Amino acid sequence: MYGDGICDLGNDKSSATWAFDDTNYSNTESSSRYDTFEQYCQFLNCFDETTQFQIHINTKPLSHTRIHLDIQAFETVSEELKQCVNEYNEFMHRRFISDSTYIQEKYVTVTVEESDYNLSQRRLGRIGIEKLALLHKLGCKTKMLDKPQRLTLLREIYRPDDLSEISYEQMIKSGVCDKDLIAPYSMDTSHDDYIKLGDYYTQTLFLTDFPSDITDSLIKDITTLDKRLLLTINVLPQNPGAAIKEVKDRLKSLDREKEDSLSRQVKMGIVDPKPPRDLKDVITGTENFLNDLKARNEKMFLANILIFVSAKSLEEMDSIVEAVEDKVAKSGCTIKPFTFAQEEGLDSVVPLGRNDTFIRRTFTTSSLAAFIPFNVVEIVHPGGLCYGRNKLSHNIILMDRKRYINAHGFYFGASGSGKTTGAELEMWECFFRTNDDMIIIDPEGGFTKLVNLLGGQVIEVSNAAKTRFNPFDINEYYGGEEDPNPIPFKSDFIISLIEVTLNYRDGIDPVARSVIDRCVRQVYQNYMKNPCEENIPTFLDFFTLLKEQPEPEAKYLASSLEIFIEGSLNIFAGKSNVNIHNRLICFNTKNLGKQLQVMGMSIIQDFCWNLISKNQALHKNTWLWNDEVHLSLRNQQTAEWLTNSWKRGRKYGLIATGMTQEVRDAARSEAGQAMIANSEFIMLYRQKKTEIESISQLMGLSEQQISDLQLCESGVGLFKAGNSIVEFNNRLDDHMKLFQYIQSDIKNKNTRPGDAVAG
């Protein structure tokens, strides 16, 4: 096997394997399923007779993956937090890490025949770009497996309990590579119908006795059994011209058989001879098959469907086989084990690109497409945050928002739907599973308890608060990539801040603008000579300089700003006295006076940009949650900042999230519409009937999904991630200590211990 994952199979054959994402199929309306079916037919038809391919669906227990759900608390944290962490880990184990929780992974393996590696590499590369692009149209992202990834996949079959990492570093250190890394510790092939690989009893089965009209849910029924199994569809496309000739020859043979049957009946004295019913049905089916190949966009394939099961005892293996038999029987099919050919079956079911079995059946494109591998979108990103359980497949949802082009998002949900609690659980997960900085803008004061529990810094922004926050805070990265000099950007912010604070509806006049810019440049002179915290100026320093300027406009500005610097609204006049270096900061603006709301929000947003630009230079991500985001969208300046952050934030490592009850609250303004357009993550909880039209336009939901959104329980809903829509259940038990810190509805205090509540 080469480093790029291409495997030399011998006899000039090479193969490569791609992982592909699932897409919504079984939970969509009939028209959508038809479109998906037709596009999958196009995918099958794009392969010619010079290639063969396999479709794999690998179902395995979550406990046998390298996904780690436990979170760790530092020894220095409070006992209260340690208790919350321990209870949360126990909850995750009960819910997800038991042997009853399974995940699915889907792959396609393509085999080509070329004389050397370079030719195989080029051809497989073209297949990955051209043919697998048809899966992209279905919403299925694909990724070619490299050598360590492909070896890991094969080892899951040969050595299921070996979860150690396969990497080039490990190969170099151990001197063990390729086959030695994945070969079973022992292999017993002395039995007729099963093989023992190490401690596991394994059996390869094949699907047979297909009915003329098979349901498209068969593959889903088998692979959602929550049993350890690997299902493989081996496909060998046939040359269209040769296929038609072969079917015609078959028809001629059947016609001769029919004539022979009629002739025998005449000799026996039968007055009205008729062909046997079975023969007549075969002829009719073959004629229809030929017509499909000639008139419709159908090709002919030789294919088989193999199922590989494994268990630690013969009894358990037999029970899995019985469960598969029950599912298959409902579709009118049967399964049989390979007898005296289990080794060939094993070689043909694993993702290597070989088909050494004698079982091959003829299919048209549409009949083969009935074994469609799609079910519902599954999102299981290693290292991702947990967003509960997939409501349809019951599998865990682990999502890494950083994987998407725009990681920004929104939480929408009616009051009591679990929206805020869901966002708090995302914060909890983010705190323990990443090292990123986190900022929360909290107009209602609802996140204070959780932030204090986590040891974060709550900054109460109000006239009565003792905390002080300096709008002149700056760092050398403030200008971002555009300009290494941060002062022009800070000057622009101070001009805008004074403009909104003093309510200049038509904008500050040019003279006043120049005066402010001059004072900003002068007040930062010491800082620019020696950039350190001690040299960062304050609003009071700026005010002192402003009063010294000779222009009348300066005198007017100074008089207007006096209340905010030396008067009763001077909360932003001095140096910051809070720990702004804490990785979790929450701005509580619940008690911020009306006269300071716009000014305060502008300063908070500037602080956010200060941190975002600094973290970009440090190659660090910044998460921002803005609750009641519609309040910031009402003011032009704060709305513009949000819009720019949503548009530019990706290259600065920003992951921004807005929260509000109704979609129309955010979509009412052009700024909100632009933010939604630049968000690939949208979380929807229970919605009012009046919001359904807005939701439907935003997400393109089915009638069933729309109905579910109006009736779903608290903590249940659906979300959009990229082009995928996933229905989720993220409810938490209220007896957990953590619930006391994330509950937002006072009515929840009346629930009984052990009740499931929004999470």
Side-chain angles (χ1 to χ4, degrees):
M1 186 177 290
Y2 298 94
D4 56 4
I6 294 177
C7 183
D8 185 351
L9 303 177
N11 298 322
D12 292 335
K13 291 186 177 181
S14 301
S15 68
T17 297
W18 287 262
F20 68 91
D21 293 340
D22 207 338
T23 189
N24 285 325
Y25 180 76
S26 61
N27 62 329
T28 59
E29 296 178 339
S30 56
S31 59
S32 297
R33 287 198 300 273
Y34 178 80
D35 291 341
T36 302
F37 184 88
E38 287 295 307
Q39 291 183 66
Y40 184 60
C41 287
Q42 293 177 25
F43 170 72
L44 296 176
N45 279 341
C46 77
F47 292 94
D48 59 31
E49 68 277 8
T50 63
T51 59
Q52 65 183 68
F53 61 96
Q54 299 172 306
I55 304 292
H56 314 277
I57 303 177
N58 186 26
T59 304
K60 59 185 180 181
L62 183 66
S63 57
H64 280 66
T65 68
R66 300 187 74 246
I67 294 173
H68 302 293
L69 295 184
D70 282 356
I71 58 177
Q72 302 295 327
F74 294 111
E75 288 296 325
T76 55
V77 303
S78 67
E79 291 300 319
E80 193 88 348
L81 180 55
K82 287 180 182 178
Q83 181 181 347
C84 289
V85 168
N86 291 335
E87 288 184 354
Y88 188 75
N89 286 335
E90 291 173 4
F91 171 75
M92 297 293 279
H93 275 264
R94 289 196 309 271
R95 195 177 191 192
F96 298 119
I97 309 182
S98 66
D99 287 336
S100 62
T101 302
Y102 284 74
I103 63 171
Q104 286 186 358
E105 296 172 341
K106 303 192 176 183
Y107 304 91
V108 55
T109 299
V110 180
T111 303
V112 297
E113 186 172 348
E114 295 290 351
S115 58
D116 62 46
Y117 164 72
N118 290 328
L119 292 174
S120 298
Q121 184 187 45
R122 284 197 290 271
R123 188 168 175 199
L124 288 168
R126 288 196 302 271
I127 288 173
I129 294 172
E130 298 170 3
K131 302 187 186 303
L132 295 188
L134 294 172
L135 287 179
H136 295 179
K137 291 182 179 180
L138 287 165
C140 305
K141 293 182 180 179
T142 62
K143 182 182 184 300
M144 184 174 172
L145 303 188
D146 60 19
K147 179 176 180 175
Q149 292 168 333
R150 200 169 180 193
L151 289 174
T152 300
L153 174 59
L154 291 167
R155 191 184 60 184
E156 290 177 2
I157 300 164
Y158 298 122
R159 279 194 219 168
D161 293 332
D162 188 349
L163 304 180
S164 60
E165 181 184 10
I166 294 181
S167 65
Y168 291 114
E169 291 78 11
Q170 290 298 110
M171 294 181 198
I172 293 171
K173 287 180 181 178
S174 64
V176 179
C177 57
D178 293 11
K179 289 187 288 187
D180 294 334
L181 283 169
I182 65 173
Y185 297 114
S186 63
M187 188 171 181
D188 181 1
T189 60
S190 61
H191 304 278
D192 297 344
D193 58 356
Y194 70 88
I195 296 175
K196 191 174 183 187
L197 299 176
D199 295 332
Y200 281 81
Y201 295 86
T202 70
Q203 189 174 70
T204 305
L205 313 157
F206 62 90
L207 207 59
T208 186
D209 298 333
F210 300 98
S212 57
D213 187 15
I214 194 165
T215 174
D216 61 358
S217 65
L218 174 59
I219 299 299
K220 183 201 78 170
D221 293 341
I222 296 173
T223 56
T224 55
L225 274 172
D226 284 348
K227 304 290 184 183
R228 181 195 291 275
L229 56 86
L230 171 66
L231 184 144
T232 295
I233 305 172
N234 286 296
V235 184
L236 180 61
Q238 301 296 294
N239 180 280
I244 291 174
K245 183 179 182 303
E246 182 180 337
V247 176
K248 285 182 176 179
D249 291 343
R250 172 65 174 156
L251 268 177
K252 290 178 181 178
S253 175
L254 290 171
D255 287 339
R256 285 194 297 270
E257 188 176 342
K258 175 183 174 182
E259 291 171 2
D260 291 343
S261 174
L262 295 175
S263 177
R264 286 194 300 270
Q265 292 179 49
V266 170
K267 290 179 180 179
M268 294 170 62
I270 298 175
V271 178
D272 185 17
K274 294 180 180 179
R277 181 178 299 175
D278 290 346
L279 178 60
K280 186 177 179 181
D281 291 342
V282 171
I283 292 174
T284 301
T286 306
E287 288 174 341
N288 292 336
F289 192 99
L290 180 61
N291 291 333
D292 288 342
L293 294 180
K294 285 181 174 180
R296 299 175 60 195
N297 187 25
E298 299 277 343
K299 293 177 69 173
M300 189 171 90
F301 301 89
L302 296 179
N304 60 33
I305 294 91
L306 308 182
I307 303 168
F308 175 81
V309 300
S310 63
K312 287 202 170 183
S313 68
L314 282 173
E315 293 76 13
E316 184 183 357
M317 185 187 77
D318 290 340
S319 70
I320 296 175
V321 172
E322 288 177 8
V324 175
E325 284 177 338
D326 290 342
K327 293 292 184 181
V328 168
K330 291 179 181 178
S331 298
C333 304
T334 57
I335 57 167
K336 297 178 181 178
F338 286 101
T339 305
F340 304 110
Q342 280 291 315
E343 289 184 67
E344 290 81 357
L346 176 60
D347 290 340
S348 303
V349 78
V350 297
L352 274 176
R354 297 173 54 175
N355 185 10
D356 299 340
T357 65
F358 58 88
I359 302 296
R360 293 184 184 181
R361 187 185 186 277
T362 303
F363 293 90
T364 61
T365 303
S366 56
S367 61
L368 181 61
F371 302 101
I372 193 164
F374 308 125
N375 181 18
V376 295
V377 171
E378 299 280 12
I379 298 181
V380 186
H381 298 157
L385 310 186
C386 180
Y387 291 85
R389 187 189 290 273
N390 189 311
K391 186 180 173 184
L392 299 176
S393 68
H394 306 294
N395 292 334
I396 189 172
I397 299 172
L398 289 175
M399 182 168 59
D400 182 2
R401 288 172 61 176
K402 300 171 190 175
R403 291 190 176 206
Y404 297 94
I405 296 174
N406 268 320
H408 310 315
F410 279 90
Y411 278 74
F412 295 114
S415 179
S417 64
K419 163 180 58 69
T420 302
T421 307
E424 286 183 295
L425 275 179
E426 182 181 51
M427 297 169 192
W428 169 270
E429 285 272 322
C430 181
F431 184 83
F432 287 105
R433 300 196 193 279
T434 76
N435 293 315
D436 303 334
D437 282 345
M438 304 163 61
I439 306 172
I440 305 168
I441 299 176
D442 184 12
E444 300 296 332
F447 300 95
T448 300
K449 289 191 296 182
L450 178 62
V451 174
N452 285 332
L453 172 69
L454 295 173
Q457 174 70 57
V458 177
I459 301 176
E460 185 179 346
V461 186
S462 71
N463 297 24
K466 295 180 180 180
T467 55
R468 292 293 179 265
F469 193 57
N470 182 13
F472 280 77
D473 281 335
I474 197 171
N475 62 70
E476 61 267 37
Y477 311 109
Y478 184 85
E481 294 178 337
E482 291 85 353
D483 195 330
N485 182 9
I487 302 306
F489 291 89
K490 196 67 178 183
S491 175
D492 184 64
F493 164 69
I494 296 299
I495 291 171
S496 299
L497 177 65
I498 293 174
E499 190 174 72
V500 298
T501 301
L502 301 183
N503 198 21
Y504 279 89
R505 295 182 179 178
D506 299 323
I508 295 179
D509 64 84
V511 176
R513 187 179 295 270
S514 296
V515 170
I516 296 171
D517 178 69
R518 183 197 312 151
C519 293
V520 170
R521 285 185 283 110
Q522 290 179 9
V523 83
Y524 277 107
Q525 284 180 355
N526 288 337
Y527 174 81
M528 293 303 293
K529 292 176 183 177
N530 181 20
C532 62
E533 288 192 26
E534 290 75 14
N535 289 335
I536 293 177
T538 65
F539 221 148
L540 180 59
D541 298 328
F542 169 84
F543 181 69
T544 302
L545 268 176
L546 183 63
K547 290 192 294 184
E548 295 173 357
Q549 305 307 307
E551 292 86 354
E553 288 82 359
K555 308 299 181 185
Y556 176 79
L557 284 171
S559 298
S560 302
L561 289 172
E562 182 178 354
I563 188 174
F564 301 102
I565 311 300
E566 297 177 336
S568 58
L569 304 180
N570 66 343
I571 64 172
F572 301 115
K575 284 187 174 291
S576 301
N577 64 353
V578 294
N579 179 14
I580 58 174
H581 300 294
N582 195 307
R583 63 173 288 238
L584 173 58
I585 294 178
C586 175
F587 292 97
N588 182 344
T589 62
K590 181 178 181 180
N591 298 317
L592 185 62
K594 186 175 181 180
Q595 296 184 66
L596 286 173
Q597 282 182 353
V598 177
M599 181 184 185
M601 185 55 65
S602 298
I603 292 172
I604 289 170
Q605 289 178 339
D606 184 67
F607 166 83
C608 294
W609 187 254
N610 222 339
L611 183 61
I612 292 164
S613 58
K614 179 181 178 181
N615 282 345
Q616 182 212 23
L618 300 175
H619 305 289
K620 190 175 184 180
N621 289 102
T622 309
W623 292 68
L624 170 66
W625 290 270
N626 192 337
D627 194 19
E628 306 297 347
V629 70
H630 62 279
L631 299 176
S632 296
L633 290 172
R634 292 175 182 173
N635 177 268
Q636 182 178 351
Q637 178 170 323
T638 53
E640 285 180 0
W641 185 90
L642 286 171
T643 305
N644 289 332
S645 298
W646 250 254
K647 287 182 178 179
R648 302 170 58 205
R650 179 179 61 85
K651 64 180 181 180
Y652 285 88
L654 173 65
I655 302 167
T657 305
M659 294 174 280
T660 187
Q661 288 191 15
E662 300 177 352
V663 175
R664 61 183 174 185
D665 285 341
R668 188 173 283 120
S669 65
E670 291 184 6
Q673 293 171 12
M675 290 163 62
I676 293 174
N678 281 283
S679 298
E680 292 207 66
F681 173 77
I682 296 178
M683 186 77 76
L684 292 177
Y685 290 82
R686 187 176 65 250
Q687 298 292 318
K688 300 176 183 177
K689 289 185 178 180
T690 54
E691 285 295 295
I692 290 302
E693 184 176 350
S694 301
I695 295 291
S696 182
Q697 292 175 356
L698 176 66
M699 306 275 283
L701 305 179
S702 67
E703 291 294 329
Q704 184 61 48
Q705 289 170 331
I706 289 173
S707 176
D708 290 345
L709 270 180
Q710 296 179 68
L711 303 172
C712 62
E713 298 176 323
S714 181
V716 178
L718 58 85
F719 68 81
K720 173 178 173 285
N723 295 321
S724 303
I725 295 177
V726 179
E727 298 181 43
F728 69 89
N729 181 339
N730 195 16
R731 294 167 64 80
L732 200 66
D733 292 338
D734 75 345
H735 69 272
M736 294 172 60
K737 192 79 173 177
L738 177 61
F739 175 68
Q740 299 176 14
Y741 292 91
I742 64 174
Q743 62 177 339
S744 59
D745 187 351
I746 194 168
K747 294 179 181 178
N748 285 333
K749 294 180 180 179
N750 298 323
T751 57
R752 297 185 302 274
D755 286 350
V757 297

